[in-house]
């Protein structure tokens, strides 16, 4: 017998999906950060928004969230997926180079911020233990909001962006020790004892297990799934890696987000990182949206109405103290003054982990419940200001570029650069026999290149030979962008599938009207189609084979080499002109290119 469907069971889910479908397009059209929209939607849909008026207007029950705790539990995966994606953009080598900022600037910010905020809480009448717990919770900043805002403003790889991320990473590492410390304080057994260090052992074991299993089993597992050529299985494997690493981390006393971050760093060293990014991006975006909605749901505005001076004063004090601590720590660690100001503004607001820390502190009796709730409201209000603070910091930190008189304005806006691939390389799509020969010729001329291939065996073989090759379906624009399409010098399509080659040419030309596209064609008809889609040059296999046979025969007969080469080039140009009609997109691109030379 089929289970009876209850509309009430799906009401919260439908409300969230409706919010996601309305808020993001609306706020993007208004050029307002969608994060603010999700936070405001959460406030309106939550029990402290429209939910307060249900006794007066019962129909509001249909448009309010009934189970905020369940949404909050699911929304935590938004931070988990975000940290995993951040890990994919890093590597062990880059983390090693960032160690000064992570363990230097990050440690100074956490310790200094905790002590400064704790001292402020004591001045306001809180007991020493409660003040320390409040300071430790408020010193943490929001990874879930700060990182997307920096990425949107293209400041994540700036000096301030690297410093901000380093501090956020150390804060994630510090969550577990802070929780353990709060637990010790809540026991009331007279302070710290040496045996309390045993509480940290499971955390170390958990991280060791994630790293060991990732090093030994991650690449073989992804290779096996890729060889199966199943989109569903590959996506399932990606989700298994994220959730599995997160659960191991959570069971060892750390945050799920930290475990997912480590898994991302391990995957970043494999040939599957770009395809994984494309697969996980929709999950990350949707779950992060849910996370922001859940933050808004927990905001009790009645406390703001009852104690406006206290709540707003605490929020302002939090921003000032944290910004000052980060600014001073940044200067001490050698940051540029502008970068220190920008990092201080971005990190000044509170973060999502404060909810978990203060909930634990209130549950352990370290912080009074009324004080904890008031602090959370103040902290949440500051999170609303992160986009504005990031914009202000960006104006301070970004030096205006000096325009060169000789520079011509760009003909078209380039596609947004995504990922960390170096600029100016040649992108090879397909790494079979033709693609390998192309990469070899590029290497002989010292031209950097990167290849994308769907066959896991070819990717594995190319990687063993030292090539920069990623596994994935290049017909999707998202993958091309993450492989450096925005700054590629040229795109060479060597795929033997006509349909796939046409999809890649069309997607590339739509994204980069200015890039040179050279494509392999099966025959003359296929070459004409590629020219219509925007290929700068299409090379038909049948015609090229005929020309090479003719060249060899003419030379063997005794015709002078110079005359043979000249005639072959002339015939090749005739074929190209016949196939690439003037009205074709490729023909128009060729005329524009020739005019610029």
């Amino acid at each position: 017998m089929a289970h009876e469907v209850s509309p009430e069971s799906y009401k919260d889910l439908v409300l969230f999906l409706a919010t996601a479908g309305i808020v993001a397009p609306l706020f993007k059209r208004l050029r307002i950060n969608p994060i603010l929209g999700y936070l405001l939607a959460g406030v309106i849909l939550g029990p402290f928004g429209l939910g307060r008026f249900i006794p007066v207007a019962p129909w509001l029950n249909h448009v309010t969230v009934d189970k905020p705790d369940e949404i909050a539990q699911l929304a935590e995966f938004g931070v988990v997926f975000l940290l995993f994606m951040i890990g994919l953009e890093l590597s062990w080598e880059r983390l090693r180079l960032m160690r000064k900022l992570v363990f230097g600037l990050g440690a100074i910010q956490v310790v200094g911020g905790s002590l400064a905020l704790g001292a402020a809480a004591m001045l306001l009448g809180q007991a020493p233990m409660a003040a320390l717990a409040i300071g430790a919770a408020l010193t943490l900043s929001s990874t879930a909001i700060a990182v997307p805002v920096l990425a949107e403003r293209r400041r994540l790889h700036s000096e301030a962006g690297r410093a901000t991320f380093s501090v956020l990473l150390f804060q994630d590492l510090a969550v577990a020790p802070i929780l353990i410390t709060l637990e010790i304080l809540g026991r009331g057994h007279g302070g710290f004892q040496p045996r309390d260090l045993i509480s940290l052992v499971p955390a170390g074991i958990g991280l060791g297990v994630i790293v060991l299993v990732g090093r030994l089993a991650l690449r073989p597992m992804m290779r096996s799934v890729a060889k199966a050529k199943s989109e569903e299985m590959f996506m399932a494997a990606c989700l298994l890696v994220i959730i599995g690493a997160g659960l191991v981390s959570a069971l060892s006393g750390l945050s799920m987000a930290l475990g997912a971050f480590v898994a991302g760093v391990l995957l970043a060293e494999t040939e599957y990182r770009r395809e994984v990014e494309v697969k996980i991006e929709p999950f990350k975006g949707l779950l992060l949206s849910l996370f922001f909605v859940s933050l808004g749901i927990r905001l009790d505005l009645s406390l703001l109405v009852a104690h406006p001076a206290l709540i707003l004063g605490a929020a302002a004090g939090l921003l000032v103290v944290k910004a000052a601590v980060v600014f001073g720590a940044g200067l001490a660690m050698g940051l540029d003054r502008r970068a220190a100001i920008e990092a201080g503004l971005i990190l000044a607001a509170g973060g999502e982990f404060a909810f978990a820390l203060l909930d634990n502190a209130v549950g352990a009796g370290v912080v009074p419940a009324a004080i904890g709730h008031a602090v959370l409201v103040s902290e949440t209000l500051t999170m609303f200001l992160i986009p504005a603070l990031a914009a202000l910091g960006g104006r301070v930190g970004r030096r205006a570029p000096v325009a060169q008189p000789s520079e011509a304005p760009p003909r078209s806006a380039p596609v947004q650069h995504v990922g960390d691939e170096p600029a100016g390389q040649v992108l090879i799509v397909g790494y079979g026999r033709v693609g390998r020969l192309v990469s070899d010729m590029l290497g002989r001329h010292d031209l950097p290149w990167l290849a994308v291939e769907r066959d896991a065996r070819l990717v594995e073989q190319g990687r063993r030979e030292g090539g920069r090759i990623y596994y994935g379906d290049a017909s999707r624009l998202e993958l091309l962008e993450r492989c450096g399409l925005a700054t590629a010098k040229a795109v060479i399509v060597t795929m033997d599938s006509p349909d796939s080659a046409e999809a890649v040419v069309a997607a590339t030309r739509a994204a980069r009207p200015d890039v040179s596209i050279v494509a392999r064609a099966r025959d003359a008809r296929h070459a004409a189609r590629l020219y219509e889609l925007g290929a700068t040059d299409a090379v038909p296999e049948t015609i090229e084979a005929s020309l090479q046979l003719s060249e060899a025969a003419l030379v063997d007969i005794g015709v002078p080499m110079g005359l043979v080469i000249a005639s072959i080039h002339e015939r090749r140009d005739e074929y190209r002109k016949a196939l690439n009609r003037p009205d074709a997109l490729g023909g128009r691109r060729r005329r524009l290119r020739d005019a610029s030379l």
Side-chain angles (χ1 to χ4, degrees), residues 154-197:
R154 303 186 188 182
R155 300 291 293 166
L156 193 56
H157 297 293
S158 65
E159 184 181 8
R162 291 192 299 270
T164 299
F165 173 73
S166 299
V167 171
L168 293 170
L169 178 56
F170 185 86
Q171 290 178 358
D172 291 336
L173 292 169
V175 169
I178 293 174
L179 283 171
I180 294 171
T181 302
L182 292 178
E183 183 181 350
I184 294 172
L185 293 176
R187 295 173 189 166
H189 58 41
F192 176 80
Q193 296 183 11
R195 66 172 180 269
D196 290 326
L197 289 174

Side-chain angles (χ1 to χ4, degrees), residues 434 492-493 517-524 526-528 530-531 535-545 547-548 572 576 579:
V434 178
I492 304 176
V493 183
I517 304 175
V518 181
R520 170 188 178 186
R522 176 159 294 183
D523 50 29
H526 186 214
L530 291 173
Y531 279 125
T536 311
D537 287 295
V539 183
E541 295 176 344
T542 54
I543 294 177
E544 281 300 313
L547 292 175
Q548 290 181 26
R572 181 180 287 117
R576 181 181 292 131
L579 296 174

Side-chain angles (χ1 to χ4, degrees), residues 120-426:
M122 287 184 62
L123 291 176
L124 294 175
Q126 295 302 307
M129 287 189 178
L132 181 59
I134 292 173
L138 294 183
T139 197
L140 303 180
S141 304
S142 177
T143 302
I145 301 180
V147 171
V149 167
L150 282 172
E152 179 185 351
R153 302 185 64 83
R154 303 186 188 182
R155 300 291 293 166
L156 193 56
H157 297 293
S158 65
E159 184 181 8
R162 291 192 299 270
T164 299
F165 173 73
S166 299
V167 171
L168 293 170
L169 178 56
F170 185 86
Q171 290 178 358
D172 291 336
L173 292 169
V175 169
I178 293 174
L179 283 171
I180 294 171
T181 302
L182 292 178
E183 183 181 350
I184 294 172
L185 293 176
R187 295 173 189 166
H189 58 41
F192 176 80
Q193 296 183 11
R195 66 172 180 269
D196 290 326
L197 289 174
I198 299 176
S199 303
L200 297 175
V201 174
I205 294 176
L207 281 179
V209 168
I210 295 174
V211 173
L212 181 62
V213 174
R215 287 284 191 182
L216 297 178
L218 197 55
R219 181 180 259 116
M221 183 190 75
M222 299 304 295
R223 183 188 305 125
S224 176
V225 174
K227 288 180 178 178
K229 298 182 179 180
S230 170
E231 296 285 331
E232 294 78 9
M233 289 178 60
F234 194 88
M235 184 178 296
C238 296
L239 296 176
L240 173 63
V241 170
I242 300 172
I243 298 175
L247 289 176
V248 171
S249 179
L251 291 174
S252 61
L254 299 169
S255 67
M256 288 188 68
L258 183 59
F261 172 79
V262 175
V265 173
L266 292 168
L267 262 177
E269 299 179 337
T270 71
E271 57 269 34
Y272 305 101
R273 61 179 293 194
R274 296 307 182 194
E275 182 71 7
V276 171
E277 286 174 342
V278 174
K279 295 291 187 188
I280 297 303
E281 181 66 33
F283 290 94
K284 185 205 75 173
L286 189 63
L287 289 171
L288 267 183
S289 303
L290 180 60
F291 174 79
F292 299 137
V293 172
S294 71
L295 287 182
I297 289 175
R298 300 187 62 169
L299 184 60
D300 187 356
L301 293 178
S302 64
L303 292 176
L304 176 60
V305 176
H307 309 285
L310 175 63
I311 299 298
L312 294 177
L318 174 63
L319 295 174
V320 171
V321 172
K322 289 185 67 176
V325 169
V326 175
F327 176 72
L331 294 181
M333 295 301 296
L335 289 184
D336 178 78
R337 187 181 185 86
R338 291 172 178 266
I341 294 175
E342 183 178 358
L345 289 172
I346 297 171
L347 294 169
E352 54 273 0
F353 286 120
F355 289 91
L357 295 179
L358 285 176
D359 284 345
N360 276 271
V362 170
V366 176
V367 176
I371 297 298
H373 293 156
V375 169
L376 281 178
V377 173
S378 298
E379 189 252 1
T380 306
L381 287 176
T382 64
M383 296 172 70
F384 277 80
L385 300 177
I386 293 178
L389 293 171
L392 176 61
R395 283 194 290 269
V396 173
R398 184 184 292 109
R399 298 180 184 274
V402 180
Q404 300 294 333
S406 60
E407 290 182 354
R411 295 181 177 176
S412 58
V415 64
Q416 180 179 355
H417 180 51
V418 182
D420 58 353
E421 297 298 341
Q425 61 187 356
V426 177

Side-chain angles (χ1 to χ4, degrees), residues 428 430-444 494:
I428 303 174
Y431 200 70
R433 293 172 298 171
V434 178
R436 291 166 66 86
L437 288 173
V438 170
S439 67
D440 179 66
M441 292 303 299
L442 292 172
R444 289 171 183 251
T494 69

